[in-house]
Amino acid sequence: MISKTQRLLSLSTAMLLATSAIAVAEPSEELIAAAKKEGTLTTIALPHNWCGYGDVIAGFKAKYGLEVNELNPDAGSGDEIEAIKANKGNTGPQAPDVIDVGLSFGPSAKAEGLIQPYKVSTWDSIPDSAKDAEGYWYGDYYGVLSFVVNTDIVKEVPKDWADLKKSDYANAVALAGDPRASNQAVQAVYAAGLSAGEKDAAKAGEAGLGFFGEVNKAGNFVPVIGKSASLAQGSTPVVIAWDYNGLSWRDSLNGNPPVEVVVPASGVVAGVYVQAISAFAPHPNAAKLWMEYLYSDEGQLGWLKGYCHPIRFNDLAKNGKVPQEMLDKLPPAAAYEKAVFPTLEEQEAGKTAITTKWDAIVGANVQ
């Protein structure tokens, strides 16, 4: 089964800002009434411990009084699409109303006629590059590549990619995956290339390879897949991973050892998921109301509580909508303002360069 972490994909360009008036928009009374008449929403692939979904679902139920029928919480994006296909003529409980999938599944589902358009009230505060112009799918939350640091061992935490080449990090730096196969690791190499100033995706991939070649030559690269256990044990005291993974590791380790999650000063690459409504949704109004809730301030903060940055994060932060205690658990909000969301085409160009040339340029067999 492909987990949500494994299927995290990316988009391109910076976040757009919205006005406070847009941010506090509410669904119409007509939509609320129609959804309540349907009475139920059917979701799929929403584990309660992923991005705070348990509390998000509870919040939706409490606010609107609808039942939520939860299908297969551990399903992957492909499973969600297949569930729509398999239930085209079925209005029963096995037919999902909504899906939460990796970016690539949004355009393909639209092309196959599997999803329907709907623009939420806060539509203008979603970046153009993170949504289908016609409203068939739109980004919901994202993570950025970060440095997850065991500060028991590393006293001077790295602030940017170039720091990782310093002698301070001898035999310390690891990727959270094999860059010949793992999207998380591929995007880390790509981010290093962007930090070097490359704009073209293929060239950024090659620049990232050159960077890791230098890190390896300096004796700083550890050719193992960095995880929470290796971070804690000190065999990989600096792991390059999605920020939500690092923040979760930090909490689970609970100070033993102390862990700091650092968003680099440049080359901030984000990966995002997207939401969509099934074209055959048995409860179309409940589905639209669910979308309104997810993209409201309340729903967006629910995801943030689970360490997944909501797509409207910059807008919420700039308008003082994020509680201070929540901000205190995260890297500085300003660090996310530079986030870049590579398009699928850019991802593919970078991935091709990285996966095919890693062995030749870096020469480290990550296992």
Side-chain angles (χ1 to χ4, degrees):
M1 186 66 64
I2 299 175
S3 71
K4 282 189 176 289
T5 300
Q6 290 172 312
R7 52 188 175 79
L8 191 72
L9 295 168
S10 314
L11 287 175
S12 98
T13 198
M15 310 290 280
L16 298 180
L17 299 179
T19 64
S20 297
I22 291 172
V24 296
E26 293 286 345
S28 68
E29 291 301 322
E30 291 79 8
L31 176 60
I32 295 172
K36 286 186 174 181
K37 186 175 181 180
E38 291 172 349
T40 300
L41 171 78
T42 298
T43 64
I44 185 171
L46 302 184
H48 284 201
N49 61 353
W50 174 266
C51 291
Y53 257 123
D55 288 344
V56 170
I57 292 169
F60 175 74
K61 292 164 68 174
K63 186 164 188 174
Y64 295 113
L66 275 71
E67 292 298 317
V68 178
N69 172 35
E70 300 179 52
L71 303 175
N72 196 358
D74 296 321
S77 291
D79 300 318
E80 297 180 63
I81 298 301
E82 288 306 313
I84 292 179
K85 291 180 179 179
N87 291 280
K88 285 184 179 180
N90 175 20
T91 58
Q94 293 306 307
D97 292 309
V98 291
I99 54 174
D100 175 345
V101 292
L103 168 63
S104 65
F105 292 90
S108 61
K110 177 186 177 182
E112 292 183 65
L114 300 177
I115 52 179
Q116 62 178 281
Y118 178 70
K119 294 184 178 181
V120 292
S121 302
T122 52
W123 179 258
D124 288 347
S125 63
I126 303 171
D128 286 345
S129 62
K131 63 189 178 189
D132 174 70
E134 298 176 285
Y136 279 85
W137 54 264
Y138 21 105
D140 43 20
Y141 49 79
Y142 65 95
V144 301
L145 272 308
S146 64
F147 308 145
V148 188
V149 186
N150 176 336
T151 55
D152 248 358
I153 295 173
V154 179
K155 300 305 181 184
E156 188 69 33
V157 300
K159 296 291 192 283
D160 207 355
W161 293 95
D163 292 341
L164 300 180
K165 293 187 284 188
K166 295 178 180 178
S167 59
D168 307 46
Y169 307 109
N171 202 37
V173 181
L175 290 165
D178 179 349
R180 296 163 296 189
S182 160
N183 179 63
Q184 184 170 203
V186 166
Q187 295 307 316
V189 177
Y190 183 78
L194 290 183
S195 179
E198 287 294 346
K199 305 297 183 187
D200 178 83
K203 290 181 179 177
E206 294 191 7
L209 287 169
F211 170 83
F212 275 95
E214 292 180 45
V215 173
N216 190 40
K217 187 176 180 181
N220 293 359
F221 189 69
V222 185
V224 302
I225 295 174
K227 300 178 181 178
S228 175
S230 63
L231 177 74
Q233 292 161 3
S235 55
T236 62
V238 178
V239 180
I240 303 168
W242 295 115
D243 59 343
Y244 57 82
N245 283 338
L247 293 165
S248 176
W249 295 348
R250 180 198 65 186
D251 286 3
S252 64
L253 292 171
N254 196 26
N256 185 28
V259 171
E260 186 171 343
V261 179
V262 180
V263 175
S266 63
V268 183
V269 168
V272 77
Y273 285 95
V274 300
Q275 291 281 333
I277 299 173
S278 169
F280 313 99
H283 314 104
N285 293 299
K288 292 172 184 176
L289 188 61
W290 170 247
M291 293 299 178
E292 290 289 354
Y293 181 74
L294 293 180
Y295 289 86
S296 69
D297 292 355
E298 182 179 341
Q300 295 274 289
L301 291 176
W303 278 328
L304 186 60
K305 187 177 178 182
Y307 294 141
C308 292
H309 271 66
I311 202 68
R312 294 182 49 234
F313 176 74
N314 284 356
D315 171 57
L316 293 170
K318 286 185 178 296
N319 286 294
K321 299 290 185 68
V322 185
Q324 189 59 46
E325 62 268 22
M326 200 175 285
L327 288 172
D328 289 344
K329 295 181 180 180
L330 302 164
Y336 292 84
E337 293 176 6
K338 296 179 182 178
V340 173
F341 295 75
T343 63
L344 287 171
E345 293 76 15
E346 288 171 331
Q347 284 184 63
E348 193 57 36
K351 177 182 178 181
T352 299
I354 292 163
T355 57
T356 60
K357 297 179 181 180
W358 174 268
D359 287 333
I361 297 177
V362 182
N365 185 28
V366 179
Q367 301 182 60

